Amino acid sequence: EKGRARAELEIPTGKPVVTVSSPSASEVALLAPTLERMQDYEQGYTLVVSDASEPALTTIAPLVAASQGQAVLVQTEQPSLTSLQPGLPTPVLLDRSELLASASDAALVLDWDQSVKQSAIEIAMSGREILTVRTEESEEATGDTATFIQADTPAQVTSALTSYAPDAAKGQGTAAFVRQEYDEDSRVKDHRQAHLDTLPVR
């Protein structure tokens, strides 16, 4: 549940949460001016940076610290102990990547190359939007259901984030596609059917 997930990850409530996971060097360069601006203006969203590398943290961490809680750093590699679930006598282990997917309203991908961004797909499976640049790869990986933004310059990134408002219908459309495309059970079923279809040929 979104509120509990945010509490567990210490993400402020009350604003849409946009998450960028494992930002590349080019994504850090685009995001840094947005983070710098946060200490001067009240933003209408919370920016979460998850699983940043050590080089990325060198740039991002001081800016997040100066954002007055408008940006948050999250690491998902380690499981999280929680006693938030009622009726459980002892704390239980929760998958922090699943918590982050529940806590987010959108996944932000500014550098979509040949590979499918697994973290964005996980967030989208929870019925959240993917905000990304339009490339052949991002169109194919999201079934053209993503919310495509201009992100060639830091100013365009800041503008896109400032004007962002969650779109539940868009999120559900993206979720339906990525669940069908990337859900493990569906892929096993498709693989089994493909195997059965080739048996007569053999």
Side-chain angles (χ1 to χ4, degrees), residues 3 8-9 20 24 34 37 39 77-78 82-84 93 108 112 114 136-137 146 148 192:
E8 175 67 23
L9 296 174
V20 56
S24 65
T34 297
R37 181 184 178 187
Q39 57 189 310
E77 289 90 351
Q78 299 299 321
T82 182
S83 57
L84 287 173
L93 285 174
L108 176 65
W112 201 312
Q114 298 292 334
E136 289 185 13
E137 290 78 16
F148 295 105
R192 184 180 297 114

Side-chain angles (χ1 to χ4, degrees), residues 180-181 183-199 202:
Q180 176 181 344
E181 190 74 9
D183 177 71
E184 184 176 350
D185 291 338
S186 297
R187 297 179 80 168
V188 169
K189 181 179 178 182
D190 291 344
H191 180 76
R192 184 180 297 114
Q193 187 60 50
H195 175 71
L196 292 174
D197 290 343
T198 61
L199 287 179
R202 294 177 182 176

Side-chain angles (χ1 to χ4, degrees), residues 15-77:
K15 295 180 181 180
V17 171
V18 179
T19 297
V20 56
S21 300
S22 305
S24 65
S26 60
E27 286 179 309
V28 170
L30 287 168
L31 283 172
T34 297
L35 288 164
E36 289 172 347
R37 181 184 178 187
M38 284 183 161
Q39 57 189 310
D40 298 322
Y41 303 98
E42 181 71 18
Q43 309 298 318
Y45 61 93
T46 299
L47 182 63
V48 173
V49 181
S50 76
D51 304 314
S53 64
E54 287 297 328
L57 284 174
T58 301
T59 300
I60 289 177
L63 300 175
V64 169
S67 73
Q68 300 180 6
Q70 298 188 87
V72 179
L73 288 174
V74 171
Q75 297 295 326
T76 65
E77 289 90 351

Side-chain angles (χ1 to χ4, degrees), residues 98-157:
E98 291 181 4
L99 283 173
L100 184 60
S102 296
S104 302
D105 289 292
L108 176 65
V109 182
L110 301 174
D111 182 19
W112 201 312
D113 52 22
Q114 298 292 334
S115 61
V116 173
K117 299 296 183 182
Q118 184 63 31
S119 57
I121 297 303
E122 289 174 355
I123 291 174
M125 281 185 175
S126 296
R128 285 27 170 182
E129 294 174 77
I130 297 178
L131 309 180
T132 189
V133 293
R134 185 183 289 277
T135 66
E136 289 185 13
E137 290 78 16
S138 65
E139 287 179 348
E140 181 178 357
T142 64
D144 205 21
T145 64
T147 299
F148 295 105
I149 61 173
Q150 291 294 319
D152 297 321
T153 66
Q156 288 179 332
V157 174

